[in-house]
Amino acid sequence: QVQLVESGGGLVQVGGSLNLSCAASGRIFIINTMGWYRQAPGKQRELVASINRGGGTRYADSVKGRFTISRDDVNTVYLQMNRLKPEDTAVYYCNADYSNADYSNVYGPGSWGQGTQVTVSS
């Protein structure tokens, strides 16, 4: 399978910035799209941003213009978060889905990191 490890979360003031990192290891060749999700207490997990193998990106409306997702050549995905708001407070999870249904049948629907806490306060 694929293993994902997030880092970069923490406590930040309103209007501040954080840069999250997600390092992928294992069976990298099966990865299709990678993305960042977040889940606040008592709320559903939501997609924040995603990036596909061609470099195409998508963002939730709530973060457009403030967050940027990117990746490098060594299977690391980043989420640059600027102008943070209290409503951005959540656990942020890295996700990787797989390129082939056979891989999903064997390894599951995808891989998830353990999450990193982002807290925005004033």
Side-chain angles (χ1 to χ4, degrees):
Q1 203 180 32
V2 173
Q3 294 79 46
L4 304 174
V5 179
E6 305 101 332
S7 62
L11 176 64
V12 65
Q13 293 181 336
V14 171
S17 298
L18 286 173
N19 191 359
L20 306 183
S21 299
C22 174
S25 62
R27 301 180 185 271
I28 304 299
F29 66 92
I30 73 174
I31 294 175
N32 183 16
T33 300
M34 298 188 68
W36 288 94
Y37 290 72
R38 68 185 181 187
Q39 187 167 20
K43 297 183 179 180
Q44 293 182 308
R45 187 172 298 185
E46 64 174 347
L47 176 66
V48 177
S50 66
I51 184 166
N52 62 28
R53 288 181 292 179
T57 58
R58 292 187 179 274
Y59 297 92
D61 288 341
S62 60
V63 307
K64 285 182 179 178
R66 299 189 297 120
F67 292 8
T68 302
I69 189 169
S70 62
R71 67 180 183 182
D72 62 18
D73 295 329
V74 292
N75 301 304
T76 302
V77 177
Y78 306 93
L79 185 68
Q80 178 65 47
M81 305 187 295
N82 298 322
R83 308 199 320 271
L84 284 161
K85 305 174 180 178
E87 49 264 45
D88 295 319
T89 296
V91 177
Y92 284 71
Y93 298 91
C94 185
N95 170 262
D97 67 9
Y98 302 146
S99 61
N100 189 287
D102 291 337
Y103 294 139
S104 296
N105 289 335
V106 174
Y107 301 111
S111 296
W112 291 92
Q114 291 297 114
T116 184
Q117 177 71 49
V118 171
T119 303
V120 184
S121 64
S122 61

